[in-house]
Amino acid sequence: AQSVAQPEDQVNVAEGNPLTVKCTYSVSGNPYLFWYVQYPNRGLQFLLKYITGDNLVKGSYGFEAEFNKSQTSFHLKKPSALVSDSALYFCAVRDITGANNLFFGTGTRLTVIP
Amino acid sequence: GAGVSQSPSNKVTEKGKDVELRCDPISGHTALYWYRQSLGQGLEFLIYFQGNSAPDKSGLPSDRFSAERTGGSVSTLTIQRTQQEDSAVYLCASSLSAGAGVPGHFGDGTRLSIL
């Protein structure tokens, strides 16, 4: 079965500092991995995805994620956090049995402190 | 419209009542997904539509839940005889095609509260 885990419910970081939101995955075969962001009272927005190729994936709003096969991780990163980055972040893995579903993590709430 | 539109944004109803939630996807998007987001939990897949193909209903939690998509565009998620555990935010998403494998554009959701 496929799954992702986000070990931290809450991450706090000072504005201007680098941020990392962690995600580990469990999947047989090659994973398709995704990050989404959810701002308050809004739907999810797609940030980036890893399908194949370079392990470092760049996405929207200056975010990037590094695929690490040996550690089965896909951590989301940004070199310099903004207060406006404060939101709920979800990691997801695609259902390898079909194209119809993503399995989402439970989310990590990022708070960037001014 | 420019994005996925869901209505109503909030719905409060009594236990046992039926509710209908509406999703208007981005024009031209053939793939449409419904997810449920419960408090403190991740998103739970409910149902998927792709063009004129039979929908993937594998995520529907019970036979009280159903969904349809008329004319390949607007979708309605219906919950019959609502229970308190149905309280959640129901999110709709659409994509240009299933080949991307990604629900790319989400609506703002309908927050459903069952009293």
Side-chain angles (χ1 to χ4, degrees):
Chain A
Q2 301 98 133
S3 66
V4 292
Q6 295 181 243
E8 301 160 316
D9 292 336
Q10 173 81 41
V11 170
N12 296 326
V13 63
E15 185 178 21
N17 282 3
L19 69 87
T20 299
V21 183
K22 296 180 180 178
C23 173
T24 58
Y25 65 88
S26 174
V27 61
S28 55
N30 296 321
Y32 289 9
L33 296 159
F34 307 85
W35 276 102
Y36 287 81
V37 59
Q38 185 177 29
Y39 296 102
N41 300 312
R42 301 299 302 276
L44 275 72
Q45 295 182 33
F46 171 76
L47 273 180
L48 52 81
K49 66 179 176 182
Y50 171 82
I51 303 296
T52 186
D54 288 343
N55 290 340
L56 186 64
V57 179
K58 294 188 182 298
S60 307
Y61 311 122
F63 283 92
E64 58 189 27
E66 185 171 9
F67 172 67
N68 188 317
K69 189 171 183 177
S70 63
Q71 297 184 4
T72 62
S73 67
F74 189 57
H75 300 332
L76 182 70
K77 300 181 180 183
K78 187 173 182 180
S80 178
L82 300 173
V83 173
S84 57
D85 293 330
S86 298
L88 192 57
Y89 290 81
F90 290 94
C91 181
V93 62
R94 190 176 115 177
D95 184 351
I96 61 171
T97 64
N100 303 340
N101 188 11
L102 293 181
F103 293 97
F104 284 84
T106 52
T108 298
R109 185 166 299 282
L110 172 69
T111 300
V112 180
I113 303 166
Chain B
V4 177
S5 177
Q6 290 187 247
S7 61
S9 55
N10 284 282
K11 177 72 175 178
V12 181
T13 193
E14 295 179 346
K15 176 182 171 180
K17 300 287 189 183
D18 297 351
V19 295
E20 283 190 355
L21 312 180
R22 176 188 168 105
C23 172
D24 207 334
I26 293 173
S27 178
H29 280 195
T30 60
L32 187 147
Y33 309 75
W34 283 98
Y35 282 82
R36 178 168 69 175
Q37 185 178 19
S38 301
L39 187 64
Q41 299 185 28
L43 277 73
E44 175 187 6
F45 168 74
L46 296 177
I47 190 169
Y48 162 78
F49 296 89
Q50 170 57 34
N52 295 321
S53 302
D56 176 357
K57 304 179 182 180
S58 60
L60 295 179
S62 77
D63 58 8
R64 296 187 295 105
F65 287 72
S66 63
E68 62 179 23
R69 188 178 185 191
T70 54
S73 181
V74 172
S75 177
T76 302
L77 177 69
T78 301
I79 308 173
Q80 296 178 310
R81 306 181 301 282
T82 52
Q83 303 294 313
Q84 288 187 330
E85 62 264 28
D86 299 335
S87 296
V89 176
Y90 289 82
L91 293 169
C92 177
S94 70
S95 292
L96 199 55
S97 73
V102 179
H105 301 267
F106 280 80
D108 291 342
T110 293
R111 185 174 298 278
L112 178 63
S113 300
I114 308 299
L115 302 178

